[in-house]
Amino acid sequence: MPVSLDEFGALARSRRTHMLVDRERSIPFELVEELCEIATWAPNHKKTWPWRFAWVTGDGRLRLGRAFVDDMIAIDFGDDVKRTKTLTKYTRTPGVLVVGCSHHDHPGLNDENRDAVAAGIQNLLLAATSAGLATFWSTAPVMSGPKTLALCGFESDDRVISMVYMGWPSGTVEAPSRPDVVVQRITD
């Protein structure tokens, strides 16, 4: 069922990145599954189906922080302040969706996989907004850490592309200003 460009534009413009959420109100797992399914409708030219998802809640969020810190230590990444923050930062929302990407041996397809996953994340963020959720897309401190990948049930050569914090909003934020769009027009 198509929506008008105005309706879709309003949805895209209403999406906000923030973590002003009710930390006690959980998100039904069935809703998360539906959001992940919507993510997989992003373009995937070679049909490699690269999306990987892990929904982390409760004490699992602390286990996720610990796995990231162990992986950070293993590659000597970050200082003690960054590692200490990583231990608990995933508890800021009721749930965190770890979005991963499968590896492909062909470098071009490996890049295409990441692009497909990023496009899928945008689908997911817009769908979450439509469902009334607040979201925050964050970069993982380590993309290929073996402890984190294992905790998430991902393959050892997968990569973590995004940490999507999610919750039911308890506040709002103003839309950030955007630069004017410049489209180069090339004709005859």
Side-chain angles (χ1 to χ4, degrees):
M1 169 174 143
V3 298
S4 74
L5 185 57
D6 288 340
E7 291 169 319
F8 183 79
L11 173 65
R13 290 179 188 98
S14 71
R15 197 192 79 68
R16 296 288 175 273
T17 296
H18 70 84
M19 287 190 271
L20 302 174
V21 300
D22 179 347
R23 292 181 180 205
E24 303 304 316
R25 185 176 172 198
S26 64
I27 299 167
F29 182 66
E30 296 75 24
L31 175 55
V32 175
E33 286 180 309
E34 186 174 358
L35 296 173
C36 292
E37 192 274 334
I38 291 168
T40 68
W41 284 92
N44 182 223
H45 178 65
K46 296 295 183 182
K47 298 183 179 21
T48 57
W49 317 123
W51 302 275
R52 304 290 181 261
F53 304 102
W55 179 236
V56 187
T57 61
D59 288 341
R61 296 168 298 162
L62 293 171
R63 290 176 43 219
L64 179 64
R66 178 81 254 165
F68 271 127
V69 169
D70 289 346
D71 288 334
M72 292 167 74
I73 290 168
I75 63 169
D76 195 27
F77 175 73
D79 58 18
D80 287 339
V81 172
K82 184 171 186 69
R83 292 174 187 164
T84 298
K85 180 180 177 184
T86 299
L87 282 172
T88 60
K89 73 188 221 172
Y90 302 109
T91 63
R92 295 185 283 190
T93 57
V96 178
L97 183 67
V98 183
V99 184
C101 177
S102 66
H103 173 77
H104 199 287
D105 289 334
H106 186 280
L109 291 181
N110 204 44
D111 289 346
E112 280 192 19
N113 279 356
R114 182 189 167 104
D115 295 346
V117 170
I121 294 166
Q122 179 65 0
N123 281 2
L124 185 141
L125 296 173
L126 290 170
T129 298
S130 181
L133 291 169
T135 57
F136 185 95
W137 177 343
S138 179
T139 302
V142 178
M143 296 177 82
S144 304
K147 294 204 180 215
T148 305
L149 293 173
L151 176 68
C152 293
F154 297 169
E155 298 294 323
S156 61
D157 57 356
D158 289 346
R159 297 173 285 169
V160 175
I161 303 303
S162 173
M163 311 297 295
V164 180
Y165 293 85
M166 284 194 235
W168 299 104
S170 62
T172 59
V173 296
E174 291 296 315
S177 62
R178 296 276 197 262
D180 290 338
V181 174
V182 177
V183 178
Q184 301 299 327
R185 187 172 181 184
I186 302 168
T187 61
D188 318 327

